[in-house]
Amino acid sequence: MELPFAESYKIKMVETIRRSTRKEREVWLKEAYNNLFNLRSEYVYIDLLTDSGTGAMSDKQWSEMMVGDESYAGASSYLKMKAVIKELFGFNDFLPTHQGRAAENVLFSLLVKNGDIVPGNSHFDTTKGHIEFRHAHAVDCTIDEAFHPTQYHPFKGNLDLNKLEAVLKNNPIEKVPFIVVTLTCNSSGGQPVSMQNLKEVYGMAKKYGTRVIFDSARFAENAYFIKIREDGFQAKTIKEIVKEMYTYADAMTMSSKKDAIVNMGGFIGFSDRKMYEEASVYNIMFEGFVTYGGMSGRDMNALTQGLLEGTEFDYLETRIKQVEYLGESLKRFGVPLLEPFGGHAIFLDAKRFLPEIPKEEYIAQTLAVEIYLEGGVRGVEIGTLLADRDPETRENRYPEMELVRLALPRRVYTNSHMDYIAATVANVFERRNDITKGLKILKEAPIMRHFTVELERV
Ligand code: F0G
């Protein structure tokens, strides 16, 4: 018989997790004001809040930790990271930062001014936050297919070139400091961008005279999808594809907590020496000296090794097949999902799951809370709470999709955990008609409210 697919690693170290009772979870949830960010991690059995910083490092990454160079300036760890960034992305210069949003803070301090316009594909919330914080505007130019959860498109992260051109044509170009392309597009469901689209976006940017910056948190997963879905890339290695992708970018911001499989870290890559030099000033102010920028030497070492492992096909295939395994299991139970499945997560379509709940009662958050109550599985709302209020009108922004993201940490859970998650969600789906009331806000922060919001049942 044909041999089945199996993981490309075995397990050397384990961490105990404990199940809880529904009664316990009811108390804990109340104490957390129905905000899953407020739960202690020990109250969670399977934690799918994020795939960010939650991965399991390899034996090679741990051994790199032991040989980190903790020198303040010119550490070998920095030089090693610089060489691998050059090898993978082709960028001569980089700045280390402590995580992705810190990279955004440094780069956007240089590039984004009051009144600017930054087009992109469904900007991630910290990216949008850093744009709006500077009184600039993020304009979403994602293709329309991305907003239809059941419509198939191999590259739902793509930018719509007509929408993009309208922004570039109708605004003075000096007001558009760059286009941001998020790889994969987290906010629209972990969906990839095709090489063709990257090339066209870059071409358009150069025609109008602006830059392209890749928000690169899941660049390797994006490259995997290019390899398996886009004509002409089947025979290329992930590293070759990555190299080609970055010929269409002027700079990159990176949250290394995803595809570099570390618990903390980030960086900015630059093709332009002058931009690197100017950004260095902000890095020194906000992060640290240019050769460590908020990271210890051992962390830079683990990150560098993680970049090399994270761009291996076997690793990516294991990872993305696990996401698919969960998606297929949920589909068999009839659970409404966003398709095709993303690279790092399964997104439940809360509007179809709970059609009775009005949008004013936070449909996706209601579903996330029910899933936690059912089985101690923690996902995250990608809906109205996350979309936040309009910075000018202060009205709620209602996004086209209300999603619950079940993000899979890298190399952490087994497929038995996937079966448990699928059964938990299926049980909620069985009793969906009894869930008729949502949530209302008691307290919220003026920006990025989803992290700290307090809610109660309507
Ligand atoms: N860009 C994207 C596409 C992200 O998904 C994230 C983080 C960031 C930037 C910011 O990076 O967390 O290192 O500061 N995403 C996490 C998530 C938080 O759960 O999706 P960071």
Side-chain angles (χ1 to χ4, degrees):
M1 82 177 99
E2 199 189 325
L3 298 179
F5 180 78
E7 290 80 358
S8 62
Y9 50 80
K10 55 184 179 172
I11 297 166
K12 192 173 279 190
M13 192 189 282
V14 296
E15 181 181 348
T16 303
I17 49 175
R18 287 197 179 79
R19 296 172 80 161
S20 52
T21 63
R22 181 171 175 123
K23 259 212 153 65
E24 285 174 323
R25 294 194 289 275
E26 278 169 5
V27 174
W28 296 334
L29 191 64
K30 214 166 165 195
E31 287 168 0
Y33 288 101
N34 293 292
N35 179 348
L36 303 179
F37 284 99
N38 286 339
L39 286 173
R40 287 189 196 195
S41 63
E42 69 206 67
Y43 297 163
V44 176
Y45 179 50
I46 299 182
D47 205 348
L48 310 181
L49 186 68
T50 180
D51 63 321
S52 180
T54 52
M57 291 209 295
S58 68
D59 50 353
K60 291 202 177 73
Q61 284 179 289
W62 280 108
S63 57
E64 279 296 318
M65 297 281 287
M66 297 304 292
V67 294
D69 177 354
E70 306 303 341
S71 307
Y72 192 96
S76 64
S77 301
Y78 163 80
L79 294 169
K80 203 152 47 172
M81 188 164 156
K82 186 174 160 92
V84 167
I85 287 173
K86 166 84 183 165
E87 177 190 327
L88 288 177
F89 306 105
F91 291 144
N92 286 324
D93 292 298
F94 92 102
L95 289 168
T97 63
H98 79 273
Q99 63 182 92
R101 69 199 70 182
E104 291 164 358
N105 187 32
V106 169
L107 191 61
F108 296 5
S109 291
L110 176 68
L111 299 180
V112 181
K113 304 276 178 295
N114 193 330
D116 280 355
I117 292 150
V118 182
N121 54 343
S122 301
H123 311 59
F124 183 66
D125 54 334
T126 60
T127 318
K128 198 184 214 165
H130 273 295
I131 291 168
E132 291 178 350
F133 180 72
R134 291 171 172 83
H135 304 286
H137 306 277
V139 182
D140 190 355
C141 297
T142 314
I143 56 170
D144 289 336
E145 288 88 333
F147 304 103
H148 299 285
T150 54
Q151 200 170 328
Y152 182 82
H153 187 292
F155 292 101
K156 273 185 165 176
N158 279 0
L159 283 89
D160 181 321
L161 297 171
N162 293 324
K163 292 184 195 172
L164 180 63
E165 186 149 36
V167 175
L168 299 177
K169 220 186 230 159
N170 299 330
N171 292 285
I173 201 66
E174 61 280 6
K175 286 262 152 221
V176 186
F178 55 88
I179 300 161
V180 57
V181 183
T182 310
L183 305 169
T184 55
C185 189
N186 187 4
S187 308
S188 69
Q191 301 292 324
V193 182
S194 70
M195 189 73 86
Q196 180 64 27
N197 196 247
L198 293 178
K199 188 175 177 176
E200 286 166 348
V201 167
Y202 187 74
M204 192 174 284
K206 295 304 131 183
K207 178 175 152 203
Y208 284 89
T210 188
R211 309 174 186 92
V212 177
I213 289 170
F214 288 175
D215 175 355
S216 306
R218 301 177 183 85
F219 75 95
E221 290 169 6
N222 199 98
Y224 173 88
F225 285 120
I226 288 176
K227 182 175 167 82
I228 62 169
R229 291 188 189 159
E230 192 164 351
D231 282 345
F233 292 93
Q234 277 73 8
K236 297 215 157 116
T237 65
I238 297 293
K239 287 185 173 66
E240 286 165 347
I241 293 170
V242 168
K243 193 70 170 274
E244 185 172 338
M245 283 161 62
Y246 282 82
T247 59
Y248 306 123
D250 296 293
M252 69 187 286
T253 54
M254 175 72 183
S255 168
S256 305
K257 303 167 73 171
K258 286 84 167 172
D259 277 357
I261 331 177
V262 287
N263 304 116
M264 195 53 72
F267 62 90
I268 313 167
F270 300 87
S271 63
D272 175 5
R273 179 91 212 186
K274 189 163 162 276
M275 204 203 295
Y276 158 77
E277 284 170 357
E278 288 171 357
S280 296
V281 178
Y282 294 99
N283 214 62
I284 293 170
M285 266 199 307
F286 299 148
E287 292 293 299
F289 183 60
V290 295
T291 66
Y292 73 88
M295 296 187 74
S296 50
R298 54 180 170 274
D299 287 343
M300 287 193 277
N301 270 13
L303 192 166
T304 303
Q305 175 61 27
L307 281 174
L308 294 172
E309 284 174 27
T311 47
E312 283 296 322
F313 179 77
D314 286 356
Y315 152 75
L316 283 164
E317 185 183 37
T318 298
R319 157 138 186 89
I320 291 173
K321 284 207 175 213
Q322 186 173 51
V323 177
E324 266 170 37
Y325 178 88
L326 175 61
E328 292 298 341
S329 310
L330 287 166
K331 234 174 117 169
R332 276 196 294 278
F333 289 119
V335 173
L337 303 169
L338 191 135
E339 288 186 77
F341 307 140
H344 67 300
I346 291 298
F347 292 73
L348 307 177
D349 183 353
K351 276 191 188 167
R352 276 188 295 145
F353 200 119
L354 297 176
E356 297 294 306
I357 312 267
K359 69 180 192 307
E360 293 78 12
E361 294 181 13
Y362 307 103
I363 309 167
Q365 181 67 11
T366 303
L367 179 56
V369 159
E370 288 296 337
I371 291 168
Y372 172 71
L373 281 177
E374 182 68 33
V377 174
R378 172 159 72 171
V380 74
E381 187 246 27
I382 310 269
T384 305
L385 283 179
L386 182 74
D388 222 322
R389 294 184 186 275
D390 184 288
E392 270 132 44
T393 67
R394 300 307 299 158
E395 291 298 320
N396 264 336
R397 288 189 280 214
Y398 293 103
E400 295 199 38
M401 294 191 289
E402 285 277 347
L403 305 170
V404 172
R405 185 185 74 173
L406 305 175
L408 297 190
R410 294 168 180 76
R411 308 190 285 211
V412 170
Y413 293 114
T414 67
N415 283 4
S416 310
H417 292 117
M418 299 303 118
D419 295 340
Y420 178 96
I421 298 159
T424 299
V425 176
N427 284 351
V428 178
F429 191 57
E430 280 248 329
R431 59 177 176 79
R432 64 189 179 280
N433 293 332
D434 304 333
I435 307 168
T436 52
K437 293 222 180 310
L439 299 160
K440 66 172 189 233
I441 292 183
L442 293 172
K443 202 171 141 195
E444 66 182 281
I447 194 163
M448 292 197 217
R449 61 178 177 179
H450 57 289
F451 288 120
T452 53
V453 67
E454 296 183 356
L455 301 140
E456 74 176 3
R457 295 255 172 191
V458 169

